[in-house]
Amino acid sequence: MSQLVLQRIKDNLVLLGLKGILSGIDASLEEVQKETISYTDFLDRVLEEEISCRQDRRVQTLLKMSRFPYLKSLAEFNFSFQPQIEEPIIRELASLSFLERKENIIFLGPPGVGKTHLAVAIGIAACQKGRKVYFTDMDKLINDLKNWNKKKMWFYQRLSLLVIDEVGYLPLDRMESHLFFKLVNSRYETGSTILTSNKSFTEWGDIFGDAVVASAVLDRLLHHATVINIRGGSYRLKDKNALFSQKELTKRTEPSSA
Ligand code: ADP
Ligand code: MG
């Protein structure tokens, strides 16, 4: 093939936005010329390259749009640090069958136990499967709903997976509680939500300032949900704790000067 024709093909690939074919065409053409692959295999290969390139781009866009606070996967989660978390349950959740069933996940526990990390890891898995995910904390969500109301409500309703972090850090007033209930109600059995909270369900009445609203919210959320209660220590403080216990140990085992 003349260099002129090859250049024209590449220019046309650029014009058509076929970046996957463009990046692999030289290597595949070389194999055709060496007769290690047929023309059909060549076409099959470049088309596969284009599809995989498009899928990668879509996942990157979905990850950007999801606004995760950090990108951490399940592989980076140290299950041995939180032995009471049942790894098979988390792995099953990360397989995303809960998304197909429009179910919810609620992570409860004190700060630093890995609630956000696990929520993000499952969210990333959903993006990798081409799902629309959005991560927000409760404070931002309520502000969005108050300021944008209908438009934002529509945005949140359409997501395949909505992650609401830090439910319960700030109490809500009557109007805010009502907006939150409206959102939860509209996503009930139509989309999945992951929530993280440092408050046990019995304290949710305080968050919503009203036991009736709290129980209506919990009713919708918990009907189809997996609740993961994490009771372990903070991963953020693990080195400090180790240092502390080491100091304690040294103090206790040092011979007394008396
Ligand atoms: P929280 O429960 O407060 O949401 P995070 O999930 O934000 O806690 O965890 C705090 C930090 O500790 C994050 O950087 C997170 O990646 C890390 N972390 C928490 N638990 C683990 C764990 N078991 N293995 C690895 N990193 C962890
Ligand atoms: Mg958190």
Side-chain angles (χ1 to χ4, degrees), residues 176-220:
E176 293 167 341
S177 295
H178 176 71
L179 282 171
F180 186 71
F181 170 74
K182 229 173 114 175
L183 175 66
V184 168
N185 194 37
S186 71
R187 290 184 60 77
Y188 175 64
E189 294 185 338
T190 67
S192 293
T193 305
I194 300 181
L195 280 98
T196 81
S197 179
N198 62 339
K199 294 263 189 327
S200 65
F201 293 135
T202 50
E203 297 169 287
W204 280 40
D206 302 335
I207 306 173
F208 296 96
D210 182 333
V212 178
V213 179
S215 94
V217 165
L218 282 173
D219 178 67
R220 301 322 185 264

mmCIF file of all heavy atoms in Angstrom, residues 176-220:
data_model
loop_
_atom_site.group_PDB
_atom_site.id
_atom_site.type_symbol
_atom_site.label_atom_id
_atom_site.label_comp_id
_atom_site.label_asym_id
_atom_site.label_seq_id
_atom_site.Cartn_x
_atom_site.Cartn_y
_atom_site.Cartn_z
ATOM 1 N N GLU A 176 -36.307 20.565 54.158
ATOM 2 C CA GLU A 176 -35.208 19.728 53.653
ATOM 3 C C GLU A 176 -35.575 18.241 53.775
ATOM 4 O O GLU A 176 -35.323 17.453 52.867
ATOM 5 C CB GLU A 176 -33.924 20.029 54.430
ATOM 6 C CG GLU A 176 -33.395 21.427 54.174
ATOM 7 C CD GLU A 176 -32.309 21.853 55.153
ATOM 8 O OE1 GLU A 176 -32.181 21.248 56.239
ATOM 9 O OE2 GLU A 176 -31.593 22.829 54.848
ATOM 10 N N SER A 177 -36.173 17.880 54.923
ATOM 11 C CA SER A 177 -36.580 16.483 55.131
ATOM 12 C C SER A 177 -37.602 16.066 54.083
ATOM 13 O O SER A 177 -37.560 14.954 53.553
ATOM 14 C CB SER A 177 -37.223 16.306 56.501
ATOM 15 O OG SER A 177 -36.296 16.547 57.484
ATOM 16 N N HIS A 178 -38.512 16.982 53.774
ATOM 17 C CA HIS A 178 -39.550 16.680 52.798
ATOM 18 C C HIS A 178 -38.931 16.449 51.410
ATOM 19 O O HIS A 178 -39.289 15.505 50.705
ATOM 20 C CB HIS A 178 -40.576 17.819 52.749
ATOM 21 C CG HIS A 178 -41.613 17.611 51.704
ATOM 22 N ND1 HIS A 178 -42.592 16.641 51.813
ATOM 23 C CD2 HIS A 178 -41.791 18.204 50.484
ATOM 24 C CE1 HIS A 178 -43.333 16.657 50.723
ATOM 25 N NE2 HIS A 178 -42.875 17.592 49.905
ATOM 26 N N LEU A 179 -37.952 17.325 51.036
ATOM 27 C CA LEU A 179 -37.294 17.161 49.733
ATOM 28 C C LEU A 179 -36.570 15.816 49.657
ATOM 29 O O LEU A 179 -36.609 15.128 48.637
ATOM 30 C CB LEU A 179 -36.280 18.299 49.509
ATOM 31 C CG LEU A 179 -36.864 19.638 49.083
ATOM 32 C CD1 LEU A 179 -35.783 20.714 49.108
ATOM 33 C CD2 LEU A 179 -37.471 19.525 47.674
ATOM 34 N N PHE A 180 -35.903 15.458 50.762
ATOM 35 C CA PHE A 180 -35.165 14.196 50.776
ATOM 36 C C PHE A 180 -36.126 13.013 50.630
ATOM 37 O O PHE A 180 -35.884 12.088 49.868
ATOM 38 C CB PHE A 180 -34.338 14.072 52.057
ATOM 39 C CG PHE A 180 -33.444 12.850 52.057
ATOM 40 C CD1 PHE A 180 -32.329 12.793 51.230
ATOM 41 C CD2 PHE A 180 -33.724 11.754 52.859
ATOM 42 C CE1 PHE A 180 -31.514 11.654 51.196
ATOM 43 C CE2 PHE A 180 -32.909 10.613 52.838
ATOM 44 C CZ PHE A 180 -31.807 10.576 52.009
ATOM 45 N N PHE A 181 -37.235 13.083 51.361
ATOM 46 C CA PHE A 181 -38.229 12.009 51.260
ATOM 47 C C PHE A 181 -38.738 11.887 49.821
ATOM 48 O O PHE A 181 -38.878 10.785 49.278
ATOM 49 C CB PHE A 181 -39.410 12.243 52.218
ATOM 50 C CG PHE A 181 -40.538 11.293 51.941
ATOM 51 C CD1 PHE A 181 -40.437 9.953 52.305
ATOM 52 C CD2 PHE A 181 -41.674 11.720 51.268
ATOM 53 C CE1 PHE A 181 -41.454 9.052 52.009
ATOM 54 C CE2 PHE A 181 -42.698 10.818 50.969
ATOM 55 C CZ PHE A 181 -42.585 9.486 51.344
ATOM 56 N N LYS A 182 -38.990 13.057 49.197
ATOM 57 C CA LYS A 182 -39.496 13.064 47.825
ATOM 58 C C LYS A 182 -38.530 12.335 46.882
ATOM 59 O O LYS A 182 -38.949 11.541 46.039
ATOM 60 C CB LYS A 182 -39.662 14.513 47.369
ATOM 61 C CG LYS A 182 -41.002 14.802 46.750
ATOM 62 C CD LYS A 182 -41.173 16.258 46.490
ATOM 63 C CE LYS A 182 -41.243 16.502 45.004
ATOM 64 N NZ LYS A 182 -41.523 17.869 44.651
ATOM 65 N N LEU A 183 -37.250 12.619 47.075
ATOM 66 C CA LEU A 183 -36.234 11.988 46.224
ATOM 67 C C LEU A 183 -36.190 10.474 46.461
ATOM 68 O O LEU A 183 -36.211 9.688 45.508
ATOM 69 C CB LEU A 183 -34.857 12.610 46.502
ATOM 70 C CG LEU A 183 -33.689 11.953 45.755
ATOM 71 C CD1 LEU A 183 -33.824 12.164 44.252
ATOM 72 C CD2 LEU A 183 -32.360 12.507 46.235
ATOM 73 N N VAL A 184 -36.124 10.085 47.749
ATOM 74 C CA VAL A 184 -36.051 8.651 48.078
ATOM 75 C C VAL A 184 -37.292 7.937 47.545
ATOM 76 O O VAL A 184 -37.208 6.852 46.958
ATOM 77 C CB VAL A 184 -35.899 8.458 49.609
ATOM 78 C CG1 VAL A 184 -36.124 7.005 50.007
ATOM 79 C CG2 VAL A 184 -34.516 8.915 50.056
ATOM 80 N N ASN A 185 -38.429 8.558 47.709
ATOM 81 C CA ASN A 185 -39.686 7.968 47.257
ATOM 82 C C ASN A 185 -39.698 7.803 45.737
ATOM 83 O O ASN A 185 -40.141 6.790 45.211
ATOM 84 C CB ASN A 185 -40.847 8.860 47.713
ATOM 85 C CG ASN A 185 -42.168 8.136 47.586
ATOM 86 O OD1 ASN A 185 -42.246 6.932 47.837
ATOM 87 N ND2 ASN A 185 -43.197 8.850 47.164
ATOM 88 N N SER A 186 -39.153 8.814 45.027
ATOM 89 C CA SER A 186 -39.198 8.744 43.565
ATOM 90 C C SER A 186 -38.205 7.703 43.027
ATOM 91 O O SER A 186 -38.389 7.196 41.932
ATOM 92 C CB SER A 186 -38.912 10.106 42.963
ATOM 93 O OG SER A 186 -37.555 10.414 43.164
ATOM 94 N N ARG A 187 -37.164 7.401 43.805
ATOM 95 C CA ARG A 187 -36.202 6.388 43.343
ATOM 96 C C ARG A 187 -36.576 4.977 43.804
ATOM 97 O O ARG A 187 -35.953 4.004 43.382
ATOM 98 C CB ARG A 187 -34.780 6.731 43.842
ATOM 99 C CG ARG A 187 -34.185 7.957 43.147
ATOM 100 C CD ARG A 187 -32.761 8.200 43.601
ATOM 101 N NE ARG A 187 -31.866 7.090 43.313
ATOM 102 C CZ ARG A 187 -31.352 6.812 42.115
ATOM 103 N NH1 ARG A 187 -31.619 7.589 41.081
ATOM 104 N NH2 ARG A 187 -30.561 5.763 41.950
ATOM 105 N N TYR A 188 -37.589 4.888 44.644
ATOM 106 C CA TYR A 188 -38.000 3.595 45.201
ATOM 107 C C TYR A 188 -38.351 2.617 44.090
ATOM 108 O O TYR A 188 -39.204 2.904 43.248
ATOM 109 C CB TYR A 188 -39.202 3.825 46.135
ATOM 110 C CG TYR A 188 -39.820 2.573 46.700
ATOM 111 C CD1 TYR A 188 -39.103 1.738 47.549
ATOM 112 C CD2 TYR A 188 -41.130 2.228 46.384
ATOM 113 C CE1 TYR A 188 -39.676 0.593 48.069
ATOM 114 C CE2 TYR A 188 -41.708 1.084 46.901
ATOM 115 C CZ TYR A 188 -40.974 0.272 47.734
ATOM 116 O OH TYR A 188 -41.547 -0.881 48.247
ATOM 117 N N GLU A 189 -37.645 1.502 44.033
ATOM 118 C CA GLU A 189 -37.838 0.446 43.031
ATOM 119 C C GLU A 189 -37.594 0.904 41.595
ATOM 120 O O GLU A 189 -37.970 0.216 40.649
ATOM 121 C CB GLU A 189 -39.231 -0.199 43.179
ATOM 122 C CG GLU A 189 -39.365 -0.947 44.509
ATOM 123 C CD GLU A 189 -40.669 -1.716 44.676
ATOM 124 O OE1 GLU A 189 -41.644 -1.380 43.992
ATOM 125 O OE2 GLU A 189 -40.693 -2.646 45.496
ATOM 126 N N THR A 190 -36.997 2.098 41.412
ATOM 127 C CA THR A 190 -36.682 2.524 40.038
ATOM 128 C C THR A 190 -35.176 2.727 39.845
ATOM 129 O O THR A 190 -34.688 2.771 38.717
ATOM 130 C CB THR A 190 -37.400 3.835 39.651
ATOM 131 O OG1 THR A 190 -36.864 4.885 40.457
ATOM 132 C CG2 THR A 190 -38.890 3.759 39.849
ATOM 133 N N GLY A 191 -34.432 2.880 40.932
ATOM 134 C CA GLY A 191 -32.984 3.056 40.835
ATOM 135 C C GLY A 191 -32.357 2.710 42.176
ATOM 136 O O GLY A 191 -33.047 2.688 43.193
ATOM 137 N N SER A 192 -31.045 2.445 42.148
ATOM 138 C CA SER A 192 -30.375 2.055 43.402
ATOM 139 C C SER A 192 -29.716 3.242 44.072
ATOM 140 O O SER A 192 -29.253 4.174 43.408
ATOM 141 C CB SER A 192 -29.310 1.011 43.111
ATOM 142 O OG SER A 192 -29.922 -0.171 42.687
ATOM 143 N N THR A 193 -29.675 3.176 45.405
ATOM 144 C CA THR A 193 -29.020 4.227 46.179
ATOM 145 C C THR A 193 -28.094 3.566 47.196
ATOM 146 O O THR A 193 -28.457 2.559 47.802
ATOM 147 C CB THR A 193 -30.087 5.075 46.920
ATOM 148 O OG1 THR A 193 -31.027 5.563 45.955
ATOM 149 C CG2 THR A 193 -29.453 6.259 47.638
ATOM 150 N N ILE A 194 -26.898 4.129 47.337
ATOM 151 C CA ILE A 194 -26.005 3.704 48.421
ATOM 152 C C ILE A 194 -25.920 4.870 49.399
ATOM 153 O O ILE A 194 -25.668 6.009 48.993
ATOM 154 C CB ILE A 194 -24.579 3.370 47.910
ATOM 155 C CG1 ILE A 194 -24.609 2.238 46.886
ATOM 156 C CG2 ILE A 194 -23.669 3.005 49.084
ATOM 157 C CD1 ILE A 194 -23.230 1.822 46.356
ATOM 158 N N LEU A 195 -26.157 4.584 50.666
ATOM 159 C CA LEU A 195 -26.037 5.636 51.685
ATOM 160 C C LEU A 195 -24.959 5.258 52.678
ATOM 161 O O LEU A 195 -24.785 4.080 52.992
ATOM 162 C CB LEU A 195 -27.347 5.768 52.468
ATOM 163 C CG LEU A 195 -28.453 6.551 51.796
ATOM 164 C CD1 LEU A 195 -29.395 5.603 51.134
ATOM 165 C CD2 LEU A 195 -29.190 7.369 52.809
ATOM 166 N N THR A 196 -24.253 6.252 53.177
ATOM 167 C CA THR A 196 -23.350 5.986 54.302
ATOM 168 C C THR A 196 -23.781 6.897 55.442
ATOM 169 O O THR A 196 -24.204 8.039 55.220
ATOM 170 C CB THR A 196 -21.862 6.255 53.979
ATOM 171 O OG1 THR A 196 -21.603 7.661 54.106
ATOM 172 C CG2 THR A 196 -21.459 5.783 52.595
ATOM 173 N N SER A 197 -23.712 6.361 56.655
ATOM 174 C CA SER A 197 -24.110 7.184 57.800
ATOM 175 C C SER A 197 -23.362 6.756 59.053
ATOM 176 O O SER A 197 -23.047 5.578 59.228
ATOM 177 C CB SER A 197 -25.617 7.058 58.036
ATOM 178 O OG SER A 197 -25.989 7.831 59.154
ATOM 179 N N ASN A 198 -23.095 7.744 59.895
ATOM 180 C CA ASN A 198 -22.467 7.436 61.184
ATOM 181 C C ASN A 198 -23.533 7.281 62.271
ATOM 182 O O ASN A 198 -23.216 7.095 63.433
ATOM 183 C CB ASN A 198 -21.453 8.526 61.568
ATOM 184 C CG ASN A 198 -22.111 9.878 61.736
ATOM 185 O OD1 ASN A 198 -23.211 10.103 61.213
ATOM 186 N ND2 ASN A 198 -21.474 10.785 62.451
ATOM 187 N N LYS A 199 -24.807 7.395 61.859
ATOM 188 C CA LYS A 199 -25.901 7.314 62.839
ATOM 189 C C LYS A 199 -26.660 5.997 62.669
ATOM 190 O O LYS A 199 -26.944 5.581 61.545
ATOM 191 C CB LYS A 199 -26.896 8.467 62.609
ATOM 192 C CG LYS A 199 -26.318 9.848 62.874
ATOM 193 C CD LYS A 199 -26.709 10.276 64.258
ATOM 194 C CE LYS A 199 -26.418 11.701 64.644
ATOM 195 N NZ LYS A 199 -25.292 12.377 64.149
ATOM 196 N N SER A 200 -26.996 5.372 63.798
ATOM 197 C CA SER A 200 -27.796 4.148 63.713
ATOM 198 C C SER A 200 -29.230 4.545 63.343
ATOM 199 O O SER A 200 -29.633 5.698 63.545
ATOM 200 C CB SER A 200 -27.765 3.407 65.042
ATOM 201 O OG SER A 200 -28.395 4.208 66.020
ATOM 202 N N PHE A 201 -30.019 3.593 62.840
ATOM 203 C CA PHE A 201 -31.374 3.920 62.376
ATOM 204 C C PHE A 201 -32.234 4.536 63.488
ATOM 205 O O PHE A 201 -33.087 5.376 63.221
ATOM 206 C CB PHE A 201 -32.061 2.679 61.801
ATOM 207 C CG PHE A 201 -31.421 2.179 60.532
ATOM 208 C CD1 PHE A 201 -31.181 0.826 60.343
ATOM 209 C CD2 PHE A 201 -31.042 3.064 59.529
ATOM 210 C CE1 PHE A 201 -30.583 0.366 59.172
ATOM 211 C CE2 PHE A 201 -30.443 2.619 58.355
ATOM 212 C CZ PHE A 201 -30.213 1.263 58.188
ATOM 213 N N THR A 202 -31.972 4.139 64.728
ATOM 214 C CA THR A 202 -32.788 4.686 65.821
ATOM 215 C C THR A 202 -32.557 6.197 65.985
ATOM 216 O O THR A 202 -33.402 6.895 66.531
ATOM 217 C CB THR A 202 -32.468 3.988 67.157
ATOM 218 O OG1 THR A 202 -31.058 3.996 67.326
ATOM 219 C CG2 THR A 202 -33.004 2.573 67.193
ATOM 220 N N GLU A 203 -31.409 6.669 65.485
ATOM 221 C CA GLU A 203 -31.116 8.113 65.602
ATOM 222 C C GLU A 203 -31.592 8.910 64.389
ATOM 223 O O GLU A 203 -31.406 10.124 64.339
ATOM 224 C CB GLU A 203 -29.602 8.316 65.767
ATOM 225 C CG GLU A 203 -29.027 7.707 67.035
ATOM 226 C CD GLU A 203 -27.512 7.713 67.013
ATOM 227 O OE1 GLU A 203 -26.912 6.904 66.264
ATOM 228 O OE2 GLU A 203 -26.909 8.521 67.738
ATOM 229 N N TRP A 204 -32.176 8.219 63.396
ATOM 230 C CA TRP A 204 -32.567 8.936 62.169
ATOM 231 C C TRP A 204 -33.703 9.926 62.411
ATOM 232 O O TRP A 204 -33.869 10.873 61.663
ATOM 233 C CB TRP A 204 -32.894 7.945 61.038
ATOM 234 C CG TRP A 204 -31.644 7.425 60.377
ATOM 235 C CD1 TRP A 204 -30.485 7.081 61.028
ATOM 236 C CD2 TRP A 204 -31.395 7.208 58.991
ATOM 237 N NE1 TRP A 204 -29.542 6.651 60.127
ATOM 238 C CE2 TRP A 204 -30.072 6.716 58.867
ATOM 239 C CE3 TRP A 204 -32.157 7.362 57.836
ATOM 240 C CZ2 TRP A 204 -29.504 6.389 57.634
ATOM 241 C CZ3 TRP A 204 -31.591 7.030 56.604
ATOM 242 C CH2 TRP A 204 -30.279 6.561 56.513
ATOM 243 N N GLY A 205 -34.487 9.678 63.465
ATOM 244 C CA GLY A 205 -35.541 10.625 63.817
ATOM 245 C C GLY A 205 -34.940 12.001 64.089
ATOM 246 O O GLY A 205 -35.504 13.034 63.704
ATOM 247 N N ASP A 206 -33.755 12.028 64.737
ATOM 248 C CA ASP A 206 -33.081 13.305 65.029
ATOM 249 C C ASP A 206 -32.600 13.984 63.750
ATOM 250 O O ASP A 206 -32.616 15.204 63.633
ATOM 251 C CB ASP A 206 -31.866 13.086 65.942
ATOM 252 C CG ASP A 206 -32.264 12.423 67.248
ATOM 253 O OD1 ASP A 206 -33.437 12.575 67.641
ATOM 254 O OD2 ASP A 206 -31.401 11.738 67.843
ATOM 255 N N ILE A 207 -32.161 13.168 62.767
ATOM 256 C CA ILE A 207 -31.663 13.770 61.513
ATOM 257 C C ILE A 207 -32.801 14.502 60.808
ATOM 258 O O ILE A 207 -32.645 15.614 60.325
ATOM 259 C CB ILE A 207 -31.120 12.687 60.533
ATOM 260 C CG1 ILE A 207 -30.061 11.807 61.186
ATOM 261 C CG2 ILE A 207 -30.599 13.323 59.262
ATOM 262 C CD1 ILE A 207 -29.616 10.625 60.318
ATOM 263 N N PHE A 208 -33.966 13.849 60.766
ATOM 264 C CA PHE A 208 -35.085 14.420 60.006
ATOM 265 C C PHE A 208 -35.989 15.296 60.865
ATOM 266 O O PHE A 208 -36.951 15.873 60.363
ATOM 267 C CB PHE A 208 -35.889 13.306 59.327
ATOM 268 C CG PHE A 208 -35.071 12.563 58.299
ATOM 269 C CD1 PHE A 208 -34.425 11.377 58.613
ATOM 270 C CD2 PHE A 208 -34.899 13.099 57.025
ATOM 271 C CE1 PHE A 208 -33.638 10.731 57.667
ATOM 272 C CE2 PHE A 208 -34.118 12.451 56.084
ATOM 273 C CZ PHE A 208 -33.482 11.265 56.412
ATOM 274 N N GLY A 209 -35.662 15.387 62.136
ATOM 275 C CA GLY A 209 -36.428 16.239 63.045
ATOM 276 C C GLY A 209 -37.868 15.768 63.220
ATOM 277 O O GLY A 209 -38.701 16.501 63.733
ATOM 278 N N ASP A 210 -38.164 14.563 62.752
ATOM 279 C CA ASP A 210 -39.544 14.098 62.769
ATOM 280 C C ASP A 210 -39.525 12.574 62.595
ATOM 281 O O ASP A 210 -39.046 12.048 61.583
ATOM 282 C CB ASP A 210 -40.276 14.752 61.577
ATOM 283 C CG ASP A 210 -41.741 14.377 61.518
ATOM 284 O OD1 ASP A 210 -42.097 13.302 62.005
ATOM 285 O OD2 ASP A 210 -42.516 15.181 60.961
ATOM 286 N N ALA A 211 -40.040 11.861 63.590
ATOM 287 C CA ALA A 211 -39.983 10.391 63.559
ATOM 288 C C ALA A 211 -40.813 9.824 62.408
ATOM 289 O O ALA A 211 -40.466 8.782 61.836
ATOM 290 C CB ALA A 211 -40.476 9.836 64.885
ATOM 291 N N VAL A 212 -41.898 10.539 62.040
ATOM 292 C CA VAL A 212 -42.767 10.021 60.972
ATOM 293 C C VAL A 212 -42.039 10.072 59.624
ATOM 294 O O VAL A 212 -42.030 9.094 58.862
ATOM 295 C CB VAL A 212 -44.094 10.830 60.910
ATOM 296 C CG1 VAL A 212 -44.972 10.341 59.771
ATOM 297 C CG2 VAL A 212 -44.822 10.725 62.241
ATOM 298 N N VAL A 213 -41.378 11.226 59.345
ATOM 299 C CA VAL A 213 -40.633 11.340 58.076
ATOM 300 C C VAL A 213 -39.502 10.318 58.071
ATOM 301 O O VAL A 213 -39.282 9.621 57.073
ATOM 302 C CB VAL A 213 -40.070 12.768 57.889
ATOM 303 C CG1 VAL A 213 -39.288 12.874 56.591
ATOM 304 C CG2 VAL A 213 -41.192 13.790 57.890
ATOM 305 N N ALA A 214 -38.788 10.209 59.202
ATOM 306 C CA ALA A 214 -37.665 9.263 59.270
ATOM 307 C C ALA A 214 -38.150 7.852 58.974
ATOM 308 O O ALA A 214 -37.505 7.117 58.202
ATOM 309 C CB ALA A 214 -37.008 9.326 60.647
ATOM 310 N N SER A 215 -39.300 7.480 59.535
ATOM 311 C CA SER A 215 -39.731 6.098 59.304
ATOM 312 C C SER A 215 -40.234 5.914 57.876
ATOM 313 O O SER A 215 -40.063 4.840 57.287
ATOM 314 C CB SER A 215 -40.738 5.641 60.372
ATOM 315 O OG SER A 215 -42.038 5.833 59.930
ATOM 316 N N ALA A 216 -40.805 6.974 57.273
ATOM 317 C CA ALA A 216 -41.228 6.869 55.865
ATOM 318 C C ALA A 216 -40.002 6.725 54.951
ATOM 319 O O ALA A 216 -40.014 5.937 53.991
ATOM 320 C CB ALA A 216 -42.043 8.096 55.466
ATOM 321 N N VAL A 217 -38.929 7.464 55.264
ATOM 322 C CA VAL A 217 -37.695 7.379 54.470
ATOM 323 C C VAL A 217 -37.110 5.969 54.617
ATOM 324 O O VAL A 217 -36.777 5.305 53.620
ATOM 325 C CB VAL A 217 -36.665 8.445 54.941
ATOM 326 C CG1 VAL A 217 -35.270 8.151 54.391
ATOM 327 C CG2 VAL A 217 -37.112 9.847 54.524
ATOM 328 N N LEU A 218 -36.998 5.507 55.871
ATOM 329 C CA LEU A 218 -36.406 4.183 56.124
ATOM 330 C C LEU A 218 -37.242 3.068 55.492
ATOM 331 O O LEU A 218 -36.697 2.091 54.983
ATOM 332 C CB LEU A 218 -36.264 3.948 57.627
ATOM 333 C CG LEU A 218 -35.066 4.656 58.261
ATOM 334 C CD1 LEU A 218 -35.083 4.513 59.776
ATOM 335 C CD2 LEU A 218 -33.758 4.111 57.696
ATOM 336 N N ASP A 219 -38.552 3.230 55.520
ATOM 337 C CA ASP A 219 -39.456 2.251 54.926
ATOM 338 C C ASP A 219 -39.117 2.032 53.446
ATOM 339 O O ASP A 219 -38.964 0.896 52.991
ATOM 340 C CB ASP A 219 -40.887 2.782 55.099
ATOM 341 C CG ASP A 219 -41.903 1.866 54.485
ATOM 342 O OD1 ASP A 219 -42.041 0.761 55.008
ATOM 343 O OD2 ASP A 219 -42.534 2.259 53.478
ATOM 344 N N ARG A 220 -38.957 3.164 52.689
ATOM 345 C CA ARG A 220 -38.637 3.068 51.247
ATOM 346 C C ARG A 220 -37.227 2.519 51.049
ATOM 347 O O ARG A 220 -36.993 1.688 50.188
ATOM 348 C CB ARG A 220 -38.693 4.431 50.544
ATOM 349 C CG ARG A 220 -39.985 5.223 50.554
ATOM 350 C CD ARG A 220 -41.243 4.440 50.413
ATOM 351 N NE ARG A 220 -42.403 5.287 50.310
ATOM 352 C CZ ARG A 220 -43.192 5.631 51.322
ATOM 353 N NH1 ARG A 220 -42.933 5.226 52.558
ATOM 354 N NH2 ARG A 220 -44.256 6.387 51.116
#
